[in-house]
Coordinates of all heavy atoms in Angstrom, one line a residue:
R836 N 50.7 -34.6 -121.6 CA 50.0 -35.8 -121.3 C 49.5 -36.4 -122.6 O 49.5 -37.7 -122.8 CB 48.8 -35.5 -120.4 CG 49.2 -35.3 -118.9 CD 48.0 -34.9 -118.1 NE 48.3 -34.7 -116.7 CZ 48.3 -35.7 -115.8 NH1 48.0 -36.9 -116.2 NH2 48.7 -35.4 -114.6
G837 N 49.1 -35.6 -123.6 CA 48.7 -36.1 -124.9 C 49.9 -36.7 -125.6 O 49.8 -37.8 -126.2
A838 N 51.0 -36.1 -125.5 CA 52.2 -36.5 -126.2 C 52.7 -37.9 -125.6 O 53.0 -38.8 -126.3 CB 53.3 -35.5 -126.0
Q839 N 52.6 -38.0 -124.3 CA 53.0 -39.2 -123.6 C 52.1 -40.4 -124.0 O 52.6 -41.5 -124.3 CB 53.0 -39.1 -122.1 CG 53.5 -40.3 -121.3 CD 54.9 -40.6 -121.6 OE1 55.8 -39.8 -121.5 NE2 55.2 -41.8 -122.0
S840 N 50.8 -40.1 -124.1 CA 49.9 -41.2 -124.5 C 50.1 -41.6 -125.9 O 50.0 -42.8 -126.3 CB 48.5 -40.7 -124.3 OG 48.2 -40.3 -123.0
A841 N 50.4 -40.7 -126.8 CA 50.7 -41.0 -128.2 C 52.0 -41.9 -128.3 O 52.0 -42.9 -129.0 CB 50.9 -39.7 -129.0
S842 N 53.0 -41.6 -127.5 CA 54.2 -42.4 -127.5 C 53.9 -43.8 -127.0 O 54.4 -44.8 -127.6 CB 55.2 -41.7 -126.5 OG 56.4 -42.5 -126.3
E843 N 53.1 -43.9 -126.0 CA 52.8 -45.3 -125.5 C 52.0 -46.1 -126.5 O 52.2 -47.3 -126.7 CB 52.0 -45.1 -124.2 CG 52.8 -44.5 -123.0 CD 51.9 -44.1 -121.8 OE1 50.7 -44.3 -121.9 OE2 52.5 -43.7 -120.8
F844 N 51.1 -45.4 -127.2 CA 50.3 -46.1 -128.2 C 51.2 -46.6 -129.4 O 51.1 -47.7 -129.8 CB 49.2 -45.2 -128.7 CG 48.5 -45.7 -130.0 CD1 47.6 -46.8 -129.9 CD2 48.8 -45.2 -131.2 CE1 47.0 -47.3 -131.0 CE2 48.2 -45.7 -132.4 CZ 47.3 -46.8 -132.3
L845 N 52.1 -45.7 -129.9 CA 52.9 -46.0 -131.0 C 53.8 -47.2 -130.7 O 54.2 -48.0 -131.6 CB 53.7 -44.8 -131.5 CG 52.8 -43.7 -132.1 CD1 53.7 -42.5 -132.6 CD2 52.0 -44.2 -133.3
K846 N 54.3 -47.3 -129.5 CA 55.2 -48.4 -129.1 C 54.5 -49.7 -129.2 O 55.2 -50.7 -129.4 CB 55.7 -48.1 -127.7 CG 56.8 -47.0 -127.6 CD 57.2 -46.8 -126.2 CE 58.2 -45.6 -126.0 NZ 58.5 -45.4 -124.6
T847 N 53.2 -49.7 -128.9 CA 52.5 -51.0 -128.9 C 51.8 -51.4 -130.2 O 51.5 -52.5 -130.4 CB 51.5 -51.0 -127.7 OG1 50.6 -50.0 -127.9 CG2 52.2 -50.8 -126.4
F848 N 51.5 -50.4 -131.0 CA 50.8 -50.6 -132.2 C 51.6 -51.5 -133.2 O 52.7 -51.3 -133.5 CB 50.4 -49.3 -132.9 CG 49.6 -49.6 -134.2 CD1 48.3 -50.1 -134.2 CD2 50.2 -49.3 -135.4 CE1 47.6 -50.3 -135.4 CE2 49.5 -49.5 -136.6 CZ 48.2 -50.0 -136.6
N849 N 50.9 -52.5 -133.7 CA 51.5 -53.5 -134.7 C 50.6 -53.6 -135.9 O 49.6 -54.2 -135.9 CB 51.7 -54.9 -134.0 CG 52.5 -55.8 -134.9 OD1 52.3 -55.9 -136.1 ND2 53.3 -56.6 -134.2
W850 N 51.1 -52.9 -137.0 CA 50.3 -52.8 -138.2 C 50.1 -54.2 -138.9 O 49.0 -54.5 -139.3 CB 50.9 -51.8 -139.2 CG 50.4 -51.7 -140.5 CD1 51.0 -51.8 -141.7 CD2 49.0 -51.5 -140.9 NE1 50.2 -51.6 -142.8 CE2 48.9 -51.4 -142.3 CE3 47.8 -51.4 -140.2 CZ2 47.7 -51.3 -143.0 CZ3 46.6 -51.2 -140.9 CH2 46.6 -51.1 -142.3
E851 N 51.1 -55.0 -138.9 CA 51.0 -56.3 -139.6 C 50.1 -57.2 -138.8 O 49.3 -57.9 -139.4 CB 52.4 -56.9 -139.7 CG 53.3 -56.2 -140.7 CD 52.7 -56.1 -142.1 OE1 52.0 -57.1 -142.5 OE2 52.9 -55.1 -142.8
K852 N 50.2 -57.1 -137.5 CA 49.3 -58.0 -136.7 C 47.8 -57.5 -136.8 O 46.9 -58.3 -136.9 CB 49.7 -57.8 -135.2 CG 48.8 -58.6 -134.2 CD 49.2 -58.4 -132.8 CE 48.3 -59.0 -131.8 NZ 48.7 -58.8 -130.4
Y853 N 47.6 -56.2 -136.9 CA 46.2 -55.7 -137.1 C 45.7 -56.1 -138.4 O 44.5 -56.5 -138.5 CB 46.2 -54.2 -136.9 CG 44.8 -53.6 -137.1 CD1 43.8 -53.9 -136.1 CD2 44.4 -52.9 -138.2 CE1 42.5 -53.4 -136.3 CE2 43.2 -52.4 -138.4 CZ 42.2 -52.7 -137.4 OH 40.9 -52.2 -137.6
K854 N 46.5 -56.1 -139.5 CA 46.0 -56.5 -140.8 C 45.5 -58.0 -140.8 O 44.6 -58.4 -141.4 CB 47.0 -56.3 -141.9 CG 47.2 -54.8 -142.3 CD 48.0 -54.7 -143.6 CE 49.4 -55.1 -143.4 NZ 50.1 -54.9 -144.7
K855 N 46.3 -58.8 -140.0 CA 45.9 -60.2 -139.9 C 44.5 -60.4 -139.2 O 43.7 -61.2 -139.6 CB 47.0 -61.0 -139.2 CG 48.3 -61.1 -140.0 CD 49.3 -61.9 -139.2 CE 50.6 -62.0 -140.0 NZ 51.7 -62.6 -139.2
I856 N 44.3 -59.6 -138.2 CA 43.0 -59.6 -137.5 C 41.9 -59.2 -138.4 O 40.9 -59.8 -138.5 CB 43.1 -58.6 -136.3 CG1 44.1 -59.1 -135.2 CG2 41.7 -58.4 -135.7 CD1 44.3 -58.1 -134.1
R857 N 42.2 -58.2 -139.2 CA 41.1 -57.7 -140.2 C 40.9 -58.7 -141.3 O 39.8 -58.8 -141.9 CB 41.5 -56.3 -140.8 CG 41.4 -55.2 -139.8 CD 40.0 -55.0 -139.2 NE 39.1 -54.7 -140.3 CZ 38.8 -53.5 -140.7 NH1 39.4 -52.4 -140.1 NH2 37.9 -53.2 -141.6
E858 N 41.9 -59.5 -141.7 CA 41.8 -60.5 -142.7 C 40.8 -61.6 -142.2 O 39.9 -62.0 -142.9 CB 43.1 -61.1 -143.0 CG 43.1 -62.1 -144.2 CD 42.8 -61.4 -145.5 OE1 43.4 -60.4 -145.8 OE2 41.9 -61.9 -146.2
V859 N 41.0 -62.0 -140.9 CA 40.0 -62.9 -140.3 C 38.6 -62.4 -140.3 O 37.6 -63.1 -140.7 CB 40.5 -63.3 -138.9 CG1 39.4 -64.2 -138.2 CG2 41.8 -64.0 -139.0
K860 N 38.5 -61.1 -139.9 CA 37.2 -60.5 -139.9 C 36.6 -60.4 -141.3 O 35.3 -60.6 -141.4 CB 37.3 -59.1 -139.3 CG 36.0 -58.4 -138.9 CD 36.3 -57.1 -138.2 CE 35.0 -56.4 -137.7 NZ 35.2 -55.2 -137.0
K861 N 37.4 -60.1 -142.2 CA 36.9 -60.0 -143.6 C 36.3 -61.4 -144.0 O 35.2 -61.4 -144.7 CB 38.0 -59.7 -144.6 CG 37.7 -59.7 -146.0 CD 38.9 -59.5 -146.9 CE 38.6 -59.7 -148.4 NZ 39.8 -59.6 -149.2
E862 N 36.9 -62.5 -143.7 CA 36.4 -63.8 -144.1 C 35.1 -64.1 -143.4 O 34.2 -64.7 -144.0 CB 37.4 -64.9 -143.7 CG 38.7 -64.8 -144.4 CD 38.5 -65.0 -145.9 OE1 37.7 -65.8 -146.3 OE2 39.2 -64.3 -146.7

């Protein structure tokens, strides 16, 4: 169950999109 959840998370995680969110937050 832990492995399946990790798989689902990695499929949806978008590093570049998250950095853009943090750039806005930084401002």
